Amino acid sequence: MKPVNSWNFTPYAPLDRPERLTEPYICRIAPGMTTVDFDFIDPGAKPKTTHTLYYRTRGTGEYKALELDKEMHGQLYGLRNRTDYEFYVERDTDGVRSAVRLARTSVVPGKVVNYLHPEDPFYGFSGQYLCSPSLIRLPGGRLISSMDVFEGNKPQNLTILFSSDDDGKSWQYLTELFPCFWGEMFYENGRLYMLAVSDEYGDLLIGASDNEGRDWTLPTVLFRGSSSCIERGLHRAPMRLTRHAGRLWTDVEYGAWAKQEMNNAVLSAPEGCADYTDPAVWSMTSFWRHNDHKNEEGLNPACVGGIEGNVVAAPDGSLYDFLRYENGKCLLLRIDPDQPEGELTYAGVVPMEINASKFEICFDEESGDYFALCSRRVTEGNPTNRNLLSLFRSHDLREWRCTADILDAKALDPQIVGFQYVSFLIEGDDILFLSRTAYGKPHNFHDSNYQTFHRITGFRDL
């Protein structure tokens, strides 16, 4: 056994399960109403090795065999809607099998990038649900998506990457990063980077790829966390990096839900650096502590603080961290761009008809307006619902209006449906976005089973 020399694995296997490195591996699952598409790889296969698929309705009868005539791809078809199936791939030469995987047929909005059945234990070393999407377009045209695998009180340390070379119409497995959680990709000077944490409240990490996400350098530790779900450490989400005043800026927190405290800072580095894996190029502001400002006008003393902030430049050139705060309100902190290790200052609370869920803000140069995709707060029922995803627009970051409801599932049970934590890009007249989607009998609305891709056409005219 040799030590690791890169961040990526295809696939990752716990050290005590080395057999996974030579077994067929079902690396992508995409259920439909009467079908289940899947991709697999077989690191242990020899040239011209053939494979057979075995499947059945979950827990009933004998497995049926289906010869796979397409290399590393298969499809179950003619299935019953809203039904659980279990299946595995077997290498014909020696009978070595993949793990048995689960899928539930269902109609789901958007294009399925990946799916994880809520009772599928395959990624149990990290979690059982899909979370934290990040989406990027590379200069050559390739789209890359990432999403981690999480579960409360579990390690939460695996991120799976997929790529698309046809504008999101189809997706292919790329690789896996371990440990990697809450990661955001960005591209600078010919290199693709991933900024992430090692696990919940873990170390802040950064690694790089020079071949469009296939291979990654070993990650560099920028700041140490606690790596404990009950102790204060580094917290973030896949928040975009903003260019302003010659630097790249992004949000980070330090705290823990178990401690009921989240303190806010902003991380930055100069634009144009040759290597962002060098810790020397990065700076972080001091932490703004919500508990020290509870008497400020507009703040709620019962809140733990703001999280998952968008660093945005206002029309007057001021730089702000625009944070998720509480239902219907966002926290605004001012950043001094001349003091990347200075202090953040309280700049008010902004009303916005959204719930307390991660959202992204993107400035649109063509219109001069800011756009945000948010889980919209609705007055009927539970205000924490995430079954209504809406597009918001603002000219000044202070007054926001909803221009369109993009994914509307208010008629469905809000406890098991969610469109949330979207990562989006503006391209021409369209918005492309990736959603952490709970649909078709997930564990609940929060513990998602899908990663879905969507396109909004003519978004400025909505």
Side-chain angles (χ1 to χ4, degrees), residues 264 288 297-299 306 309-314 318-325 329-335 344-351 359 361 396-400:
N264 309 108
W288 186 86
E297 183 178 357
L299 291 181
N310 294 267
V311 176
V312 287
S318 301
L319 192 62
Y320 294 98
D321 197 5
F322 197 107
L323 297 120
R324 162 185 169 182
Y325 188 52
K329 294 180 181 179
C330 300
L331 174 63
L332 204 59
L333 301 177
R334 186 188 296 272
I335 305 162
L344 305 177
T345 56
Y346 176 62
V349 171
V350 176
F359 60 94
I361 297 173
D396 60 2
L397 292 175
R398 295 283 182 169
E399 294 184 6
W400 292 85

Side-chain angles (χ1 to χ4, degrees), residues 155-183:
Q156 305 184 136
N157 49 21
L158 179 73
T159 291
I160 309 175
L161 277 67
F162 299 89
S163 65
S164 173
D165 294 315
D166 56 8
D167 290 331
K169 297 181 182 66
S170 64
W171 292 87
Q172 296 78 40
Y173 171 81
L174 192 56
T175 192
E176 299 167 14
L177 301 181
F178 183 93
C180 182
F181 191 52
W182 289 331

